Amino acid sequence: MTRREREVTDINDILQIINETNILHLGLSDEGWPYVVPMNYGYEYVDGKLTFYLHGATKGYKFDVLEKNPKVSFALETDMIPFEGKVACQYGMAYRSVMGRGYGTLVADVEEKEKALSLLMKQQTGKDFTFDEKLVSIVNVIRIDVKEFTAKERKLPAAMQQDS
């Protein structure tokens, strides 16, 4: 990380960023070409391990790419507020973000898919949903086993914080 002063290290702050975000940008690599797709997600953080769950149709390009190369990257961001400055290089964007990488796997186990979809719906709606075998059979679920992640925060300049 280049700008260490912006690094977020407290796991509770990092999880807050994840909780307040709804879109995960999934990065895949297809024969050396990057492919990034925004997706809804659910997640869990258990015993120091972060896991994301994504879902989609039963077929598609991202699933084909993932089967060839399970290495993935991801980025999430929230609280983006552009700000102005007196000169061009003082303009910027306040934000909070989490990014990382890991391994993506298509989930076959019905119970894990049910859990994943419940986590996804909780993240997206704040509500609890249950799923049965019939419902999970019509979607693919990707599990991202996160190997490393970092978080950053850029606050509004002090003068602008007083205005908001």
Side-chain angles (χ1 to χ4, degrees):
M1 181 173 300
T2 306
R3 303 290 303 260
R4 291 280 176 203
E5 73 276 9
R6 295 184 182 162
E7 185 176 19
V8 177
T9 57
D10 183 292
I11 190 61
N12 294 313
D13 293 337
I14 294 169
L15 294 177
Q16 182 182 21
I17 294 168
I18 295 170
N19 282 329
E20 293 176 6
T21 307
N22 289 320
I23 301 294
L24 177 147
H25 301 276
L26 176 66
L28 303 165
S29 181
D30 185 17
E31 298 179 16
W33 287 95
Y35 175 68
V36 179
V37 59
M39 298 184 74
N40 298 113
Y41 67 91
Y43 83 97
E44 63 182 359
Y45 184 75
V46 177
D47 296 329
K49 182 179 179 219
L50 180 60
T51 305
F52 287 104
Y53 291 99
L54 318 169
H55 84 299
T58 56
K59 295 180 181 180
Y61 179 64
K62 67 182 155 286
F63 303 117
D64 297 340
V65 173
L66 185 64
E67 287 185 343
K68 290 189 282 184
N69 182 358
K71 293 179 181 177
V72 303
S73 59
F74 61 88
L76 308 93
E77 62 279 331
T78 189
D79 299 334
M80 289 138 350
I81 304 169
F83 58 84
E84 297 180 1
K86 292 180 182 174
V87 295
C89 64
Q90 291 177 340
Y91 279 65
M93 179 79 68
Y95 64 89
R96 295 185 308 144
S97 66
V98 176
M99 57 189 300
R101 56 183 145 195
Y103 295 94
T105 305
L106 289 178
V107 176
D109 180 74
V110 172
E111 288 181 15
E112 185 177 5
K113 284 176 82 172
E114 290 172 358
K115 177 181 87 170
L117 293 172
S118 294
L119 289 168
L120 189 144
M121 290 304 295
K122 183 72 168 185
Q123 176 71 24
Q124 299 304 313
T125 69
K127 298 177 184 176
D128 293 315
F129 288 84
T130 57
F131 295 86
D132 60 26
E133 190 169 344
K134 182 178 180 183
L135 287 172
V136 301
S137 70
I138 61 173
V139 297
N140 267 342
V141 171
I142 298 170
R143 181 185 67 237
I144 300 175
D145 296 310
V146 176
K147 296 301 174 199
E148 60 187 32
F149 61 94
T150 59
K152 287 174 71 174
E153 174 180 43
R154 181 177 188 187
K155 296 182 180 191
L156 283 171
M160 294 190 74
Q161 289 179 19
Q162 296 167 358
D163 295 339
S164 55

